[in-house]
Amino acid sequence: MNSFSPNMLKTFEACPKKYYFKYIQKISVPQKSSMFEKGKKVHALANYYLRGDDLTKMEKTLDSEEKLIWEQLKQNEFFQKSCVNSEYNLSCKIGNYWIGGRLDALMKDEISYYILDYKTGSVPKNAEYDYQTMVYLLCTAKLLQNQTRKQVQSDECNIKFVYIDLKNNHNLIIDFTPEKEKKYEEKIIEICNKITNVRFQEEIEHSQICEFCEYRKICI
Ligand code: SF4
């Protein structure tokens, strides 16, 4: 049985050949990025913080920019809600496919559940239909439906996806509705079908995205 993460779906959509290198051949190419390191640090801090650990020593290792980002996250209204779980592995079955991944955090208040995603880089352009948004919302909806042990409609669950854009100190909030649930399921099944039935080609037309691809050296 195949299982797909949001990154796998995004990679395939961007370039099937890249998917082939990364997930079939399992060739990993290290990426140099200070933003990536910053993101990792903030994610680790957030996880310890939500677990209630003492962060005094860790906070001392932050540079001024990291400190600013971290303070912004601590002050964020969604980050201050009640934590259900952080660094939370979730999966669910859509059609014949298992999808899943690791949420930064799941929070709640009296009204809603909130899936949080901390972004130190850029927020997805079409966030509403980004695979991360779709996969995490569907998995959380299924989890909550199972927990209540009855068939609950997604609007009764009242779930929102919140991208916390730490670069611009802004929240991008995406509502989950029964219409969206249906559309998300269709989109997920469509791309999973494509991945399952694809025939990877040796020869491929190169495009602009190749310029920034980490597999460029072995592909072109
Ligand atoms: S170099 Fe271009 S064609 Fe090759 S894997 Fe990367 S994006 Fe795909």
Coordinates of all heavy atoms in Angstrom, one line a residue, residues 14-19 21 204-207 209-211 213-217 219-220, ligand 1:
A14 N 5.7 19.1 -9.3 CA 6.7 20.1 -9.8 C 7.4 19.4 -10.9 O 7.7 19.9 -12.0 CB 7.6 20.5 -8.7
C15 N 7.9 18.1 -10.7 CA 8.6 17.4 -11.7 C 8.7 15.9 -11.4 O 9.3 15.5 -10.4 CB 10.1 17.9 -11.8 SG 11.1 17.0 -12.9
P16 N 8.1 15.1 -12.2 CA 8.1 13.6 -11.9 C 9.5 13.0 -11.9 O 9.7 12.1 -11.1 CB 7.3 13.0 -13.1 CG 6.4 14.2 -13.6 CD 7.2 15.4 -13.4
K17 N 10.4 13.6 -12.7 CA 11.8 13.1 -12.7 C 12.4 13.4 -11.3 O 13.2 12.5 -10.8 CB 12.6 13.8 -13.8 CG 13.9 13.3 -14.1 CD 13.9 12.2 -15.1 CE 15.2 11.5 -15.3 NZ 16.0 12.0 -16.4
K18 N 12.2 14.5 -10.7 CA 12.7 14.8 -9.4 C 12.1 13.8 -8.4 O 12.8 13.4 -7.5 CB 12.3 16.3 -9.1 CG 13.0 16.8 -7.8 CD 12.8 18.3 -7.8 CE 13.2 18.9 -6.5 NZ 13.1 20.3 -6.4
Y19 N 10.9 13.6 -8.5 CA 10.2 12.6 -7.6 C 10.9 11.2 -7.8 O 11.2 10.6 -6.8 CB 8.7 12.4 -8.0 CG 8.0 11.4 -7.2 CD1 7.3 11.8 -6.1 CD2 8.0 10.1 -7.5 CE1 6.6 10.9 -5.3 CE2 7.3 9.2 -6.7 CZ 6.6 9.6 -5.6 OH 5.9 8.7 -4.9
F21 N 14.1 10.7 -8.7 CA 15.4 10.7 -8.0 C 15.3 10.6 -6.5 O 16.0 9.9 -5.8 CB 16.1 12.0 -8.4 CG 16.6 12.1 -9.8 CD1 16.5 13.3 -10.5 CD2 17.3 11.0 -10.4 CE1 17.0 13.3 -11.8 CE2 17.8 11.1 -11.7 CZ 17.6 12.3 -12.4
I204 N 13.7 14.0 -20.7 CA 12.6 14.9 -20.2 C 13.0 16.3 -20.7 O 14.1 16.7 -20.8 CB 12.4 14.8 -18.7 CG1 11.2 15.5 -18.3 CG2 13.6 15.3 -18.0 CD1 10.6 15.0 -17.0
E205 N 11.9 17.1 -21.0 CA 12.2 18.4 -21.4 C 12.5 19.3 -20.2 O 11.8 19.3 -19.2 CB 10.9 19.0 -22.1 CG 11.2 19.9 -23.3 CD 10.0 20.2 -24.0 OE1 9.5 19.3 -24.7 OE2 9.5 21.3 -23.9
H206 N 13.6 20.0 -20.3 CA 14.0 20.9 -19.2 C 13.3 22.2 -19.2 O 13.1 22.7 -20.3 CB 15.5 21.0 -19.1 CG 16.2 19.7 -18.8 ND1 16.1 19.1 -17.6 CD2 16.8 18.8 -19.6 CE1 16.7 17.9 -17.6 NE2 17.1 17.7 -18.9
S207 N 13.0 22.8 -18.0 CA 12.3 24.0 -18.0 C 13.1 25.0 -17.0 O 14.1 24.7 -16.5 CB 10.9 23.8 -17.6 OG 10.9 23.4 -16.2
I209 N 12.4 25.7 -14.0 CA 12.6 25.2 -12.6 C 13.9 24.4 -12.5 O 14.4 24.3 -11.4 CB 11.4 24.4 -12.1 CG1 11.2 23.2 -12.9 CG2 10.1 25.3 -12.0 CD1 10.3 22.1 -12.1
C210 N 14.4 23.9 -13.6 CA 15.6 23.1 -13.5 C 16.8 23.9 -13.0 O 17.7 23.3 -12.4 CB 16.0 22.6 -14.9 SG 14.7 21.5 -15.6
E211 N 16.8 25.2 -13.3 CA 17.9 26.0 -12.8 C 18.1 26.0 -11.3 O 19.2 26.1 -10.8 CB 17.5 27.5 -13.2 CG 18.7 28.3 -13.6 CD 18.3 29.7 -14.0 OE1 17.4 29.8 -14.9 OE2 18.7 30.7 -13.4
C213 N 17.0 23.4 -9.4 CA 16.8 22.0 -8.9 C 18.1 21.4 -8.3 O 19.2 21.5 -9.0 CB 16.3 21.2 -10.0 SG 16.1 19.5 -9.6
E214 N 18.0 20.8 -7.2 CA 19.2 20.2 -6.5 C 19.7 18.9 -7.3 O 20.8 18.5 -7.0 CB 18.9 19.9 -5.1 CG 17.8 18.9 -4.7 CD 16.5 19.5 -4.5 OE1 16.1 20.5 -5.2 OE2 15.7 19.0 -3.7
Y215 N 18.8 18.4 -8.2 CA 19.2 17.2 -8.9 C 19.8 17.6 -10.3 O 20.0 16.7 -11.2 CB 18.0 16.3 -9.1 CG 17.7 15.7 -7.7 CD1 16.6 16.3 -7.0 CD2 18.3 14.6 -7.2 CE1 16.3 15.8 -5.7 CE2 18.0 14.1 -5.9 CZ 17.0 14.7 -5.2 OH 16.7 14.2 -4.0
R216 N 20.0 18.9 -10.5 CA 20.4 19.4 -11.9 C 21.6 18.6 -12.4 O 21.6 18.2 -13.5 CB 20.7 20.9 -11.7 CG 20.7 21.6 -13.0 CD 20.7 23.1 -12.7 NE 20.6 23.9 -13.9 CZ 21.7 24.1 -14.7 NH1 22.8 23.8 -14.3 NH2 21.5 24.8 -15.8
K217 N 22.6 18.5 -11.5 CA 23.9 17.9 -12.0 C 23.7 16.4 -12.5 O 24.4 16.0 -13.4 CB 24.9 17.9 -10.8 CG 25.5 19.3 -10.7 CD 26.7 19.3 -9.8 CE 27.2 20.7 -9.7 NZ 27.9 20.9 -8.4
C219 N 20.8 15.2 -13.6 CA 19.7 15.1 -14.5 C 20.0 15.7 -15.9 O 19.7 15.1 -16.9 CB 18.5 15.9 -13.9 SG 17.0 15.8 -14.9
I220 N 20.7 16.8 -15.9 CA 21.0 17.5 -17.2 C 22.3 17.0 -17.8 O 23.3 17.0 -17.1 CB 21.0 19.0 -17.0 CG1 19.5 19.4 -16.6 CG2 21.3 19.7 -18.3 CD1 19.3 20.9 -16.4
Ligands
SF4_1 S1 16.7 19.2 -13.3 FE1 14.7 19.7 -14.1 S2 13.9 17.9 -15.1 FE2 15.7 17.3 -13.8 S3 14.8 16.6 -11.9 FE3 15.3 18.8 -11.7 S4 13.4 19.9 -12.2 FE4 13.2 17.8 -13.0

